[in-house]
Amino acid sequence: MSDSNLPVLPSKEEVKEEVKAASKETLSSLRSLAAGGVGGVCAVIVGHPFDLVKVRLQTAEKGVYSSAIDVVRKGVARQGLARGLYAGVSAPLVGVTPMFAVSFWGYDLGQKVVRSFSPHTSKDTPFTIGQISTAGALSAIPTTLITAPFDRVKVLLQIQGQKELAPGEKPKYSGGLDVVRQLYKEGGIRSVFRGSAMTLARDAPGGAAYFAAYEYVKRRLQPVGPDGKPTGELSMTAIMAAGGAAGIALWVPVFPIDTVKSRLQSAEGRPTISGTISGLYKAGGFKAFFPGIGPAMARAVPANAATFLGVELAHQAMNKMFDR
């Protein structure tokens, strides 16, 4: 065999550069994971009362509540101020941290996948809005594994607060872990993960709209330098405005899917997707798929503004700590 046919081994410098690049990508993913977790906690603190009202309107029988304000009034009267506004908050607090962490990590991973299929796009070239949408949709795949069971637990704890208890009667569930235990006992792992298909059906298009809207508004609000190019600096107000817009873009196209998911996850027995959709339509027509949309839209702006503010601040803090 001639020397020309022998494989060319990379030089010591090339190996170092490859290791450095791989380490940088791993660190980027870990930062996205951590920043997403911070954003998730911010979202729960700000948005849970709105979410609670939305779920109770979606799952209550017709005539139980006259409005979103009626949900709040009855909940506070029955459970007190704290539990009336934050019933079921333990599940999202425990679940939302990893859920948002995985969502932003999945988005970071989705961007890498998109770039791998765009060989002519350099690392310094900004993604198009279409590419961002694709990365956002891909983020829903790993996120669903966490979102589906935690949404199931959250919904059951939230609707439990609607029931009037007789004197001495205890709630069916004592907390999030008790919900998981009872669901597993009743129907195994399938019961715990009920609603996964509808969760993915909601979060894939929702994630596409979510990240695309955030990036679009963010670019529009980004200040331009003397050379006509974006400076990369964005005020906290602009970040919150872009986050609020992302929240609205997330909910508008997928709200009917979310209603079906909530009904499916809160129903007793073995409900089907088609049966749930049919039951909703028979009960109230097209309008039946939009109960609680007011609280959802009211929640979307502050909760997602808080989410992206938390994410951006976390990234800034990590950049100061590790990029010295």
Side-chain angles (χ1 to χ4, degrees):
M1 185 183 287
S2 64
D3 291 344
S4 60
N5 292 327
L6 290 173
V8 179
L9 295 174
S11 65
K12 192 175 180 180
E13 288 71 23
E14 287 174 330
V15 171
K16 281 183 178 180
E17 284 300 316
E18 286 183 11
V19 170
K20 189 177 179 181
S23 299
K24 193 174 180 180
E25 284 202 2
T26 302
L27 185 59
S28 171
S29 295
L30 290 174
R31 288 185 183 184
S32 295
L33 200 69
V38 173
V41 173
C42 295
V44 172
I45 292 170
V46 174
H48 188 79
F50 296 98
D51 189 59
L52 175 63
V53 172
K54 173 185 73 73
V55 169
R56 287 184 173 175
L57 283 171
Q58 285 178 327
T59 55
E61 294 300 322
K62 194 172 182 179
V64 174
Y65 300 115
S66 60
S67 65
I69 297 297
D70 189 43
V71 177
V72 175
R73 184 178 58 79
K74 288 179 178 177
V76 171
R78 188 163 48 242
Q79 298 175 286
L81 184 62
R83 287 191 60 79
L85 294 177
Y86 283 91
V89 74
S90 58
L93 263 182
V94 173
V96 158
T97 301
M99 186 178 76
F100 271 78
V102 171
S103 177
F104 279 86
W105 169 78
Y107 176 56
D108 186 70
L109 192 64
Q111 288 180 312
K112 290 181 174 68
V113 171
V114 169
R115 201 176 288 283
S116 70
F117 283 93
S118 308
H120 301 297
T121 304
S122 70
K123 288 187 177 182
D124 297 324
T125 306
F127 283 113
T128 65
I129 298 301
Q131 289 174 319
I132 289 166
S133 295
T134 303
L138 290 172
S139 74
I141 297 172
T143 310
T144 297
L145 295 172
I146 296 174
T147 306
F150 275 102
D151 269 5
R152 174 95 155 113
V153 171
K154 182 192 72 174
V155 166
L156 289 174
L157 286 174
Q158 286 178 331
I159 66 169
Q160 177 174 259
Q162 296 178 157
K163 184 184 176 184
E164 292 280 1
L165 298 175
E169 184 185 359
K170 291 184 178 180
K172 182 179 180 180
Y173 304 113
S174 60
L177 289 176
D178 188 44
V179 176
V180 174
R181 184 183 61 79
Q182 290 194 44
L183 289 176
Y184 187 80
K185 188 177 179 182
E186 291 166 7
I189 198 71
R190 286 189 66 181
S191 180
V192 177
F193 278 83
R194 183 200 289 176
S196 293
M198 293 307 295
T199 302
L200 183 60
R202 177 196 67 180
D203 290 351
Y210 187 62
F211 287 106
Y214 177 72
E215 194 61 35
Y216 176 78
V217 176
K218 185 177 167 184
R219 288 178 184 181
R220 298 289 292 180
L221 295 176
Q222 202 168 47
V224 178
D227 57 356
K229 294 181 179 180
T231 61
E233 298 173 0
L234 210 62
S235 68
M236 295 296 106
T237 305
I239 290 169
M240 292 172 71
I248 293 173
L250 164 67
W251 280 111
V252 169
V254 302
F255 196 85
I257 302 173
D258 184 66
T259 299
V260 174
K261 180 197 72 69
S262 293
R263 283 288 181 132
L264 196 67
Q265 291 182 319
S266 64
E268 296 181 357
R270 294 179 179 272
T272 62
I273 294 172
S274 59
T276 304
I277 293 171
S278 177
L280 276 166
Y281 188 77
K282 286 178 182 177
F286 187 66
K287 191 178 177 181
F289 292 89
F290 291 89
I293 192 168
M297 291 296 103
R299 173 191 179 275
V301 175
N304 289 286
T307 298
F308 278 100
L309 182 62
V311 168
E312 294 287 355
L313 288 175
H315 273 300
Q316 288 179 19
M318 286 186 284
N319 289 342
K320 287 180 181 177
M321 288 171 65
F322 303 117
D323 295 346
R324 291 178 179 177

